[in-house]
């Protein structure tokens, strides 16, 4: 019989510690572990930390197996980890409807619960009976799911579970702007139950987002459909807010020892080494004691002065807890792990020796880590007079599952049974390493040939949008619509990603779908989203700022590619000006020089950048729910066709009456009058413009007679499109409004009325007064109202609703809804 090596004996010792304190309490059916044997509640955070220690021991047995029994133990421990993580997944999936609501409400009452029953995955307290909104706990689960999957564990089994994890990403991605109850579950320091922004939650969310991005949840056996996608801008937003808060934890907590979990293991969320050092030193100076660290200053939990009958304290009452806060040995473990990961053996020995003095040893030689140490009631005054002078006693849970798990993990790491790379297979510990110098790729495109020729006069050779085909260039809002398809699942009734705006980091990538390549212009350059984009100087200033932002914030593989389209509106009438604006020329010259705003740039053709750009596959658009992994979902195809259609077809509008209310009109007419008034900006062909100028001249002439204008058929209606801007009672110079009718809607309406053309009888009005005459204006308004009624009067309301569903813009839909409200 083979004898056990020393390493095998040590591993068996740590296996006994874990079994007697954690594994033996694991539920046989659900796999969940209660916080204590006498309570059937399983916290997400505690279970994840317990899974981490078991996972570490399993890896240690794999590396140091003496006997087949050791390999069997490693497999058994691995499956125990999988059962814990899947048990937590089942708990959260049973609350999928809350997850769906939270994506839009971001309300604490819609948050996933923080603890569950170990027997049946059900909740144990009501929505309003606990501080359930704990983004750090959910983020910790996503982070460790990523690390364990990267190490080879198979935790996620189906594409439905993949969709749920994708929606968990949506749950945590807005952590930088969602107040939660934090790691201590109580919100603000006074225990009033008020959620607040917590740096520890934001940091854990950032780490989870970065770790799970582009991760295949099926591991080596997966494919495109099982990958998770994260918009880089969400993680960057978390980082910006996090670094602005540290070393502060929240509005009410100037410092918190919980920050150790994000500046070091397991999150490694902070990139600035100086900020990491500053935060750790602040914790050592203000919170560290002989028995551990205080959670935060003036923490009254479990102290001799705590009044258990009170739910909260007023801010001025917290001074009674000063200098007598309980000290948690747990935080010595975070310092120990930080030293081991950084290779600081001296600091590691210091904290290991401090832990050896405060662990509790059982009769059979096992070491247990108590939850906290408190000042005895009879020594409170002496401690307040001379801090850290009195002996403390262990209180709370012995052992605490969270602390005991980290104790075993740190001991295995310290004794060399596992390496830091095995605990961090995604290499998050390298986040502080200096990044290589970045080159920002810039692509300038001309809207049309005219702008292209104008730029060539200044020795700038650029392509037009049509010349870069088959690469399609779209505004950022299109990317937002595409990402709205991410995470959809009909079985779980998940709607996917809320269609928020996408940021610069996302639009600086190229995207592939099948054989198509997409590029997107930045959000700031879209005049349809923000009118200030029409200001050329402001636009150029924002462009320079964004290049500097990319230089400091880009973390993706490949170079960022920022695409800008030069439109005519940037400098007005290009024909009437001999020179382009000097600010535009100066910017192009700087880009051509290869350096601007402290960043290296390369100006070139988008086709030349394909091999060096960051390219993302839009794999999530596959029709996975129907079993067609390689095909594209029909709704996505419809979306892409709609995008292409909108690029080639000018937007049009349905006619609507918007004038003054007629005498005797119903009360509800006046209550909604003007709800769809708007300003239209429509481009016309030369032929349409000539006809439009003719119509304007006829209207402006005092001798023009309305009776001379003959009814127009469908083929000529488009020429009247610009003959309109909405009537407004507040305007002094109102003019008649005849909005353009979309051809596809005209054909639908005509078909439903049994006619192939639609006439406009108000154009044949016999009043010979000029438009500026008050009488002619009133008559014209009446004529428009009658025209609208004639246009829709013979249409069945159900048919009109079908037209409403097929309308291509909100304005068209509003026109129809307005008509139905006034007449039906």
């Amino acid at each position: 019989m083979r004898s056990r090596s020393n390493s095998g004996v040590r591993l068996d010792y740590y296996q006994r510690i874990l079994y007697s304190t954690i594994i033996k309490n694991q539920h046989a059916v659900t796999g969940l572990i209660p916080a204590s044997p006498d309570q059937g509640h399983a916290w997400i955070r505690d279970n994840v930390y317990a899974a981490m220690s078991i996972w570490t021991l399993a890896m240690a047995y794999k590396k140091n197996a003496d006997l087949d029994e050791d390999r069997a133990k490693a497999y058994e421990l691995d499956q125990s980890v999988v059962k814990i993580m899947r048990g937590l997944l089942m708990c959260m999936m049973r609350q999928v409807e809350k997850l769906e609501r939270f994506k839009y409400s971001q309300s604490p009452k819609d948050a996933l619960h923080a603890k569950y029953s170990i027997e049946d995955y059900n909740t144990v307290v009501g929505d309003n009976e606990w501080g359930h909104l704990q983004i750090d706990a959910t983020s910790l689960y996503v982070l460790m799911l990523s690390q364990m999957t990267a190490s080879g564990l198979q935790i996620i089994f189906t594409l439905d579970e993949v969709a749920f994890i994708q929606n968990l990403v949506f749950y945590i991605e807005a952590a930088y702007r969602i107040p939660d109850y934090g790691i201590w579950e109580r919100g603000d320091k006074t225990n009033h139950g008020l959620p607040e922004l917590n740096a520890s939650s934001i940091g854990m969310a950032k780490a989870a987002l970065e770790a799970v991005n582009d991760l295949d949840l099926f591991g080596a056996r997966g494919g495109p459909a099982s990958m998770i996608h994260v918009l880089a801008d969400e993680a960057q937003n978390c980082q910006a807010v996090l670094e602005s808060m540290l070393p502060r934890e929240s509005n009410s907590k100037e410092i918190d020892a919980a920050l150790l979990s994000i500046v070091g293991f397991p999150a490694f969320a902070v990139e600035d080494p100086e900020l990491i050092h500053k935060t750790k030193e602040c914790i050592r100076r203000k919170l560290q004691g002989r028995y551990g660290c205080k959670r935060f200053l003036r923490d009254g939990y479990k102290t001799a002065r705590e009044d258990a009958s009170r739910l909260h304290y007023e801010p001025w009452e917290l001074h009674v807890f000063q200098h007598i806060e309980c000290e948690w040995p747990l935080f010595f473990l975070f310092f120990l792990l930080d030293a081991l990961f950084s290779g600081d053996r001296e600091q590691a020995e210091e904290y290991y020796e401090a832990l050896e003095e405060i662990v509790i040893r059982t009769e059979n030689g096992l070491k247990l880590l108590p939850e906290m140490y408190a000042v005895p009631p009879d020594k409170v005054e002496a401690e307040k007079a001379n801090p850290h002078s009195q002996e403390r006693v262990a209180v709370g849970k012995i052992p605490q599952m969270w602390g005991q798990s980290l104790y075993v993990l740190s001991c295995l790491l310290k004794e060399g049974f596992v390496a830091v790379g095995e605990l961090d297979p995604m290499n998050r510990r390298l986040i502080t390493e200096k990044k290589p110098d970045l080159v920002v790729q810039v692509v300038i495109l001309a809207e049309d040939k005219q702008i292209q020729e104008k730029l060539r006069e200044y020795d700038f050779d650029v392509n037009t949008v049509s010349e870069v085909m088959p690469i399609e260039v779209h505004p950022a809002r299109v990317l937002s619509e595409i990402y709205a398809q991410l995470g959809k699942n009909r079985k779980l009734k998940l709607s996917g990603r809320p269609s928020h705006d996408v940021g610069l980091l996302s639009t600086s990538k190229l995207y592939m779908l099948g054989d198509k390549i997409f590029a997107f212009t930045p959000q700031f350059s879209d005049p349809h989203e923000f009118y200030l984009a029409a200001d050329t100087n402001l636009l150029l200033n924002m462009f320079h700022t964004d290049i500097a932002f990319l230089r400091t914030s880009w973390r993706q593989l490949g170079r960022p590619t920022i695409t800008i389209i030069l439109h005519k509106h940037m400098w007005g009438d290009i024909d009437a000006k001999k020179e382009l604006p000097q600010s535009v020329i100066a910017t192009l010259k700087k880009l051509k020089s290869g350096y601007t705003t402290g960043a290296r740039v390369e100006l070139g053709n988008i086709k030349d950048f394909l091999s060096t750009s960051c390219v993302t596959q839009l794999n999530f658009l596959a029709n996975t729910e129907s079993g067609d992994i390689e095909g594209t979902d029909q709704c996505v195809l419809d979306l892409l066709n709609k995008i292409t259609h909108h690029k080639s077809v000018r937007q049009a509008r349905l006619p609507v009456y918007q004038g003054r209310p007629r005498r005797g009109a119903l009360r509800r007419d006046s209550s909604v009058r003007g709800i769809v008034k708007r300003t239209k900006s429509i481009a016309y062909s030369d032929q349409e413009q000539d006809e439009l100028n003719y119509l304007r001249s006829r209207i402006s002439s005092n001798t023009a007679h309305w009776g001379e204008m003959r009814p127009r058929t469908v083929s000529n209606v488009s020429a009247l499109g610009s003959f309109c801007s909405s009537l407004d009672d507040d305007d002094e110079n109102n003019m008649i409004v005849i909005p353009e009718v979309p051809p596809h809607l005209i054909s639908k309406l005509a078909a439903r009325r049994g006619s192939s053309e639609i006439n406009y009888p108000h154009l044949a009005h016999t009043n010979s007064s000029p438009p500026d005459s008050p009488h002619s204006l009133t008559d014209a308004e009446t004529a428009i109202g009658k025209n609208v009624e004639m246009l829709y009067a013979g249409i069945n309301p159900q048919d009109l609703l079908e037209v409403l569903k097929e309308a291509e813009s909100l304005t068209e839909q509003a026109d129809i809804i307005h008509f139905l409200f006034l007449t039906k």
Side-chain angles (χ1 to χ4, degrees), residues 577-824:
K577 294 186 177 181
K578 297 181 180 179
E579 296 183 357
L580 296 178
Q582 289 301 314
S583 56
V584 176
I585 302 303
T587 298
L588 292 176
K589 287 183 178 179
K590 279 188 175 182
L591 294 176
K592 199 170 183 179
S593 71
Y595 191 83
T596 182
T597 62
R600 292 175 58 196
V601 296
E602 183 176 354
L603 183 63
N605 191 315
I606 192 171
K607 293 182 180 179
D608 298 333
F609 290 153
L610 291 179
S611 60
T612 56
S613 297
C614 177
V615 181
T616 296
Q617 296 281 347
L618 298 175
N619 302 317
F620 57 86
L621 298 180
N623 191 10
T624 56
E625 291 192 83
S626 63
D628 185 8
I629 303 298
E630 296 183 357
T632 304
D633 199 313
Q634 184 59 43
C635 64
V636 177
L637 294 176
D638 294 341
L639 172 62
L640 295 177
N641 291 335
K642 179 181 177 182
I643 293 170
T644 305
H645 176 73
H646 275 281
K647 288 193 62 157
S648 59
V649 179
R650 175 166 48 86
Q651 293 298 301
R653 299 291 182 264
L654 280 173
V656 64
Y657 172 73
Q658 293 178 323
R660 295 182 177 90
R662 298 179 298 276
R663 181 177 298 178
L666 295 177
R667 181 181 182 87
R668 74 173 186 177
D669 282 21
S670 61
S671 66
V672 297
R673 175 174 47 81
I675 60 173
V676 290
K677 63 186 178 182
R678 56 212 172 266
T679 300
K680 298 180 178 66
S681 177
I682 307 177
Y684 299 96
S685 65
D686 294 339
Q687 180 180 357
E688 291 174 333
Q689 190 66 43
D690 293 340
E691 188 168 355
L692 174 62
N693 293 335
Y694 170 75
L695 290 173
R696 284 175 173 169
S697 65
R698 294 294 301 273
I699 293 173
S700 61
S701 172
N702 291 331
T703 60
H705 293 281
W706 287 90
E708 297 176 3
M709 296 187 182
R710 298 301 177 207
R712 304 291 179 119
T713 62
V714 172
S715 61
N716 292 327
V717 165
S718 61
L720 298 172
S722 183
F723 182 52
C724 55
S725 69
S726 301
L727 287 175
D728 192 336
D729 290 341
D730 297 330
D731 292 341
E732 295 181 358
N733 299 317
N734 286 316
M735 52 188 303
I736 301 172
V737 182
I738 312 174
E740 183 180 21
V741 184
H744 70 283
L745 292 181
I746 291 176
S747 60
K748 294 179 185 296
L749 294 171
R752 288 181 168 86
R753 299 190 63 177
S755 172
S756 61
E757 65 178 31
I758 299 176
N759 293 332
Y760 289 80
H762 60 281
L763 294 179
H765 193 61
T766 57
N767 190 347
S768 59
S769 302
D772 291 338
S773 169
H775 293 90
S776 67
L777 183 61
T778 303
D779 293 341
E781 288 175 343
T782 305
I784 292 175
K786 291 180 180 179
N787 170 68
V788 174
E789 292 178 2
M790 291 182 64
L791 182 62
Y792 296 122
I795 304 176
N796 186 288
Q798 293 299 324
D799 293 336
L800 196 57
L801 288 176
E802 291 183 14
V803 176
L804 173 63
K805 294 178 182 178
E806 299 177 11
E808 295 183 350
S809 72
L810 291 176
T811 306
E812 295 169 1
Q813 296 169 4
D815 290 337
I816 299 175
I817 293 172
H818 190 137
F819 171 79
L820 290 173
F821 189 87
L822 296 179
T823 60
K824 303 299 180 183

Side-chain angles (χ1 to χ4, degrees), residues 486-505:
L486 179 61
K488 283 189 174 181
N489 187 279
R490 297 183 183 91
K491 285 193 245 179
L492 296 177
K493 298 180 180 179
L494 292 170
S495 62
R497 182 180 185 269
S499 185
H500 302 308
D501 292 340
V502 294
L504 181 67
L505 297 178

Side-chain angles (χ1 to χ4, degrees), residues 448-475:
D448 55 24
K449 291 285 188 180
Q450 190 177 16
I451 297 178
Q452 184 185 43
E453 293 299 327
K454 198 71 174 178
L455 288 171
R456 282 177 179 170
E457 296 178 8
Y458 296 88
D459 196 25
F460 295 116
D461 190 13
V462 301
N463 296 118
T464 63
V465 176
S466 59
E467 289 176 346
V468 299
M469 295 297 289
I471 301 175
E472 299 183 22
V473 182
H474 299 286

Side-chain angles (χ1 to χ4, degrees), residues 310-362:
R310 298 185 59 177
L311 296 178
H312 62 268
Y313 295 90
E314 297 303 328
W316 57 85
E317 295 179 302
L318 296 179
H319 75 278
V320 300
F321 305 123
Q322 190 167 358
H323 300 313
I324 63 169
E325 303 95 331
C326 291
E327 294 178 356
W328 296 56
L330 164 71
F331 298 111
F332 276 176
L333 292 167
F334 281 110
F335 277 120
L336 172 59
L337 286 168
D338 179 71
L340 293 172
F341 270 88
S342 62
D344 189 345
R345 285 291 174 181
E346 182 179 349
Q347 180 178 308
E349 286 297 331
E350 175 187 344
Y351 282 102
Y352 182 76
E353 291 174 2
L355 282 166
E356 288 297 302
E357 294 178 2
I358 58 179
V359 294
I360 297 177
R361 292 169 173 80
T362 63

Side-chain angles (χ1 to χ4, degrees), residues 210-221:
E210 292 176 340
V212 79
N213 185 32
D214 291 336
L215 176 70
D216 193 328
L217 291 181
F218 290 170
R221 304 175 184 86

Side-chain angles (χ1 to χ4, degrees), residues 13-26 57 76:
Y13 170 73
Y14 289 119
Q15 192 266 347
R16 287 199 305 273
I17 293 179
L18 276 184
Y19 181 82
S20 62
T21 57
I22 295 176
I23 299 177
K24 76 173 184 180
N25 297 322
Q26 185 176 19
L57 183 60
E76 181 184 357

